[in-house]
Amino acid sequence: MSNIKTWVCVDDEHIYEATVDLSHRWNGWLSPGFTLDAVRQLAAHTEEMAEAEGFDCSDQIIVIDGEPEPVVLHVRWQYHKEEGAQAVNVVKPDENGLYWIGGWEWCWYQVEDGPLFYTANATFDAWQRVLGQSARRIGEILRTQMPEATSCLVDLTSLGHIVQVDGDSSTWPSNTDSDGPDGYGPFDSETLGEADEVLRKALDHGRDRVSLELGGWRPARDIRQPELHRIVFAPAGHPHGGDALLDEARAAFTEARRTWLTESAPYLVNDARAACPQAIGVVVDPTASEPFVMFLADNDDPTTAVPVLADLAEKVTERLEAMFTYRPTGEDLTAAGWSSSAPARLDGAYHLLFHEA
């Protein structure tokens, strides 16, 4: 049994410091041991979950303080009526003071980057708000000339544009003479252009289909055109938010992206130094699908190639791909400590110099 200290998660929302044996698994899931402090955190979160979702569909960890030591209970409320006292067990600490909770029962998984987990979630949530506010604003713009509009279809290829607007009793384009010679129907080109601009700014920072769907931009499976996405507008009569709410969401997302880049940097440095101990920095092309370009080496020619194990270099590439998930702008990179004067002299490249260990 080879235990390591790491971080684990079971609900995709909270992480806890734990001791685990990565080779000791149940259906791929881990069996973690926790200190009493971590158990208290877990207890608080399971209480919140039970209150929010109902005690009959949630396990709960309870810490009862007393002498000579606290008592930790694992309560399976959903089985209480059938099993009574059997639905409750006392979790006793082992010889090292660790409480082994949820093993062979809960779906615990490892979170190697620890607290960076929260930064990643906050950045994703900020982008989801941009998607939601963009959908709302697109609806408000289109309703200025088609008040009954309820949704639109968008084509995400190239720059992205609106291809259809649906209402309760009408659709644009209608494929009839009612659309007029210009084909804009009830709209003018300026209105469609304004709505398209909101759409494109939302797409500037990502087009991952799964993430878009989570943000409410769903593939148009209802009309058997999953290559298109449907954006559903707020109900008629919903308060008009104008540009202010969207601008606020964009600003919060910009701050979140920059925080994500900044807080990810130490992890990148560790990965880079593991791959190339001579590295004093890294050069990237933020617009590429694989942004990693090269290490900067600590010698007379900082761009000299040095031998690097492929799997370690791949870890650096994966780290950078994660950091650049939201397509950071040059301003984002500069704000997070990157420089555009890359020694590699590549157009559009940026570099990050490492601080002394």
Side-chain angles (χ1 to χ4, degrees):
M1 189 171 180
S2 178
N3 288 334
I4 64 167
K5 290 185 178 180
T6 186
W7 299 78
V8 295
C9 181
V10 72
D11 61 0
D12 295 335
E13 292 186 16
H14 305 97
I15 61 172
Y16 312 92
E17 287 188 274
T19 296
V20 301
D21 180 351
L22 295 178
S23 66
H24 196 50
R25 295 175 181 264
W26 164 72
N27 290 336
W29 307 108
L30 296 172
S31 175
F34 303 97
T35 64
L36 183 59
D37 285 342
V39 172
R40 292 187 189 280
Q41 293 176 324
L42 178 59
H45 294 149
T46 59
E47 182 178 5
E48 292 173 0
M49 185 182 303
E51 291 178 350
E53 300 181 4
F55 285 83
D56 60 343
C57 62
S58 177
D59 285 16
Q60 187 179 1
I61 303 302
I62 300 173
V63 179
I64 302 175
D65 287 305
E67 295 294 339
E69 64 183 11
V71 174
V72 176
L73 300 179
H74 184 170
V75 184
R76 300 164 181 82
W77 290 106
Q78 62 269 43
Y79 304 123
H80 187 262
K81 287 184 180 180
E82 299 175 1
E83 301 183 9
Q86 299 298 318
V88 181
N89 71 280
V90 177
V91 182
K92 296 182 179 181
D94 66 10
E95 65 276 12
N96 297 313
L98 297 178
Y99 296 79
W100 299 83
I101 297 173
W104 273 250
E105 187 175 9
W106 291 4
C107 298
W108 288 108
Y109 62 89
Q110 184 184 20
V111 179
E112 292 186 68
D113 292 341
L116 194 61
F117 170 89
Y118 292 117
T119 307
N121 284 356
T123 310
F124 179 78
D125 289 344
W127 188 45
Q128 297 295 289
R129 287 194 293 274
V130 169
L131 293 175
Q133 290 297 334
S134 297
R136 174 197 58 78
R137 186 65 186 127
I138 289 170
E140 291 176 353
I141 293 168
L142 296 177
R143 280 174 173 167
T144 61
Q145 297 184 1
M146 186 176 171
E148 72 275 18
T150 57
S151 67
C152 68
L153 291 176
V154 298
D155 184 342
L156 304 186
T157 58
S158 188
L159 293 176
H161 64 285
I162 297 167
V163 298
Q164 181 175 309
V165 182
D166 294 311
D168 290 331
S169 58
S170 61
T171 295
W172 169 86
S174 62
N175 297 319
T176 69
D177 292 340
S178 62
D179 282 340
D182 59 8
Y184 293 134
F187 301 107
D188 55 43
S189 59
E190 289 78 11
T191 300
L192 289 174
E194 183 181 0
D196 277 344
E197 182 64 16
V198 173
L199 168 72
R200 290 165 185 169
K201 283 188 176 180
L203 297 175
D204 279 346
H205 296 286
R207 303 192 185 204
D208 174 69
R209 287 179 174 268
V210 173
S211 298
L212 288 171
E213 186 163 2
L214 290 173
W217 298 36
R218 295 183 172 29
R221 302 185 183 96
D222 57 323
I223 58 173
R224 297 182 180 180
Q225 294 192 64
E227 70 278 7
L228 301 179
H229 278 63
R230 184 180 296 281
I231 299 175
V232 178
F233 307 146
H238 191 273
H240 192 284
D243 287 327
L245 294 177
L246 178 55
D247 289 342
E248 182 180 320
R250 286 171 175 166
F253 180 40
T254 296
E255 182 178 354
R257 285 197 315 274
R258 294 176 181 181
T259 299
W260 168 241
L261 287 169
T262 300
E263 295 188 2
S264 296
Y267 295 85
L268 171 64
V269 172
N270 289 339
D271 291 339
R273 283 181 168 150
C276 178
Q278 309 99 304
I280 61 169
V282 63
V283 178
V284 301
D285 178 358
T287 63
S289 57
E290 293 188 358
F292 176 53
V293 174
M294 67 177 69
F295 294 115
L296 300 178
D298 189 8
N299 52 41
D300 293 336
D301 180 359
T303 65
T304 298
V306 292
V308 176
L309 293 176
D311 58 338
L312 295 178
E314 181 63 24
K315 192 170 183 179
V316 174
T317 298
E318 291 174 354
R319 175 72 64 187
L320 284 164
E321 288 174 350
M323 291 174 69
F324 294 171
T325 295
Y326 301 104
R327 300 180 180 180
T329 64
E331 290 81 3
D332 292 338
L333 290 166
T334 300
W338 294 75
S339 172
S340 59
S341 57
R345 299 178 183 176
L346 297 173
D347 290 340
Y350 282 77
H351 78 274
L352 180 69
L353 292 178
F354 304 157
H355 296 296
E356 292 295 329

